[in-house]
Each structure stands twice: as structure tokens, then as C-alpha cells.
Amino acid sequence: MSTLKPVLLIRPGLRNSDDAAALDDLDIPHVIDPYLDVAPSDDPDAITRARQILAAIRDDADWLVITSAQAVLALAALTSQLALGEALTVGSARGLRVAAVGDATANALHATCRLTVHCPKQATAQALAKLLLTLDTGAKAVIPLSAQAAPTLTETLTSGGWQVTDAPVYATKTVRSAPVSAAQIAEQAFSAIVLRSPTAVRALHQYSPSVPKSTTLVCGGPTTAAEALRLFTAPIVTSNTPAPTAVAEAVYHAVSAGSDNEL
């Protein structure tokens, strides 16, 4: 695979590390150039919202529902790792149940507190909502999320009779200046681009609105793929799961399928 043009990874900062390692295992060259910044919410009410979420976790929520590892990191940053761990410990002791959209998100929770985390087979908001509706009825859930999160999960649970309190604790924003790789994309410098969220798709489109057909967009899930299909005409491949190894396998099969990407 060393004769291939590199794969572009555009997640924020260190969040590319697992994908990079999985690509290395398959001898697939890659370039990291973030198109997104992710940080805890910085508005005046952010800390108050985070403390209210911890109070709900500790005192009265039936479920804590997490859709991104970043939500866990943001809660810890806005309060403290100790406060989050204590809330989870107290909540679990009184019967709080926890659900996460996927294994990576569950692992972020496990780093704070060892507890059982329910995950759907497919890492999407729709699959998570379906799982929760089969596990409980009329429950009270608290969902810390991104300021840019789609309302799918909250709306589905609410329509199913749940009481849902959701609160933004972090924000995902497109970087302010065009990444260096944006011009390189137009020059067909990459065999593929890995996309892991609709927000990432839109960030890519902002700086590279026309991706060459010689570059495959490899998406971590169907929601991301749907957004990519809406905005781009380049080939789109969807990984079976969002796990880094699965995404790397999808990249491998996509870029080795033809010879157009060869140097």
C-alpha cells in the first residue's frame, strides 16, 4: 500500500490517533490536517448546565445517555473529573443506567467510572434511541451533547414517552482558516478522506466544495454518508462500524480497488 497517495484525516487534534494507528497497521500512508475544533462550551451558562447534569446523574435521572466521548471530556472539564466520577458512582448505586452510542464513547465513561454501558449494534442516534425504547418505558434521561447536535435522539425518545433533558456542553466548529490540505485535495493529492460526522462533512465542503472523483470519501456511519452524498459527487464508502479498524479496512478496500490512486 506504500505506493498509494496518502489518506487525509481531518478530525480535531489527537482524535485522529486511533484512525492513524489502524491505517499504519495496514501500511496505508496518511496525513493529519484538522478541519474542526472541538472544545467545552464557553458561554456564561456552560458551567451551570454541566453542574445541573451532574446533579441529575446523581439524584434523579433514570438514564445518562452519551452520544460522543467529547461530552464526557467536556463534563469533566467544566466541573472536574472527580465530581463526574462521584456523580456516576452515586447515581449507579441508586439505579442510574447508562447508554452510549458506541464503544469509543463507552470507553470514555469507563475511564471515569467503571459501570455497565449499554450500546447499540450500530453506532447511530437512531439505533441508540431504538435500543433505549426497548430497554425502558417512560424513563427520565439526561443527555449532554454538542451545541450542533441534531435533535434526532431527543425527539425520538420524547415521542416514545420519555422525559428528556438535553444540554449542550461542547461545541464543534470549523477551523477559521483554510487547512493546507484543501488546495492539495483539488490537486488529487489524496487517495481517500476519512469523515466521521456530518459536521466533518460540512467542514470539508466549506474549504473543498468539489472533491475529485479520484478521491474516495470513507464515512464512519450512515448518517455521515448521507450528508456526504448530499454535498459531494465523489465516490462514497461507508464503514460497517465506526471502529478505527473497520474504517481502516474500508479505506483499504476502497483505495486498493482500482489503480487511479497510484502514484
Side-chain angles (χ1 to χ4, degrees):
M1 300 298 287
S2 59
T3 60
L4 290 176
K5 297 176 184 178
V7 173
L8 177 61
L9 305 177
I10 69 169
R11 300 180 86 187
L14 296 176
R15 298 182 74 188
N16 294 291
S17 58
D18 289 342
D19 284 333
L23 292 172
D24 283 339
D25 288 342
L26 296 177
D27 195 27
I28 300 174
H30 52 80
V31 170
I32 295 174
D33 195 13
Y35 281 54
L36 294 168
D37 285 326
V38 178
S41 298
D42 59 3
D43 64 89
D45 297 324
I47 293 177
T48 297
R49 289 197 303 272
R51 288 173 175 168
Q52 289 171 341
I53 290 170
L54 262 58
I57 291 171
R58 185 177 56 248
D59 299 332
D60 63 356
D62 300 312
W63 285 88
L64 167 65
V65 182
I66 304 288
T67 59
S68 168
Q70 188 62 41
V72 181
L73 299 176
L75 280 176
L78 291 169
T79 56
S80 73
Q81 187 84 5
L82 178 61
L84 176 57
E86 289 178 344
L88 287 168
T89 299
V90 173
S92 297
R94 66 164 180 81
L96 174 77
R97 302 169 76 183
V98 181
V101 73
D103 291 339
T105 304
N107 289 337
L109 283 162
H110 289 150
T112 301
C113 179
R114 299 303 301 179
L115 37 72
T116 299
V117 180
H118 300 270
C119 297
K121 292 182 178 180
Q122 188 177 31
T124 66
Q126 294 92 332
L128 179 57
K130 183 177 180 180
L131 172 65
L132 290 168
L133 291 172
T134 62
L135 292 174
D136 212 339
T137 57
K140 182 184 294 185
V142 59
I143 310 177
L145 38 67
S146 166
Q148 290 74 36
T152 305
L153 179 59
T154 296
E155 290 179 351
T156 303
L157 291 176
T158 300
S159 65
W162 282 47
Q163 292 179 262
V164 178
T165 300
D166 59 23
V169 294
Y170 72 97
T172 304
K173 301 178 182 179
T174 303
V175 295
R176 294 183 178 181
S177 300
V180 172
S181 61
Q184 297 170 335
I185 290 172
E187 297 167 355
Q188 304 184 50
F190 303 105
S191 61
I193 303 171
V194 173
L195 300 168
R196 285 191 159 276
S197 68
T199 305
V201 175
R202 292 188 289 271
L204 176 65
H205 187 262
Q206 178 172 323
Y207 290 118
S208 298
S210 180
V211 173
K213 292 187 176 181
S214 60
T215 304
T216 302
L217 302 179
V218 179
C219 299
T223 304
T224 301
E227 187 70 349
L229 185 62
R230 184 179 74 86
L231 293 176
F232 293 104
T233 58
I236 296 170
V237 170
T238 307
S239 173
N240 291 330
T241 78
T245 52
V247 172
E249 288 285 350
V251 170
Y252 179 91
H253 292 297
V255 303
S256 61
S259 60
D260 287 346
N261 289 326
E262 292 182 358
L263 290 174

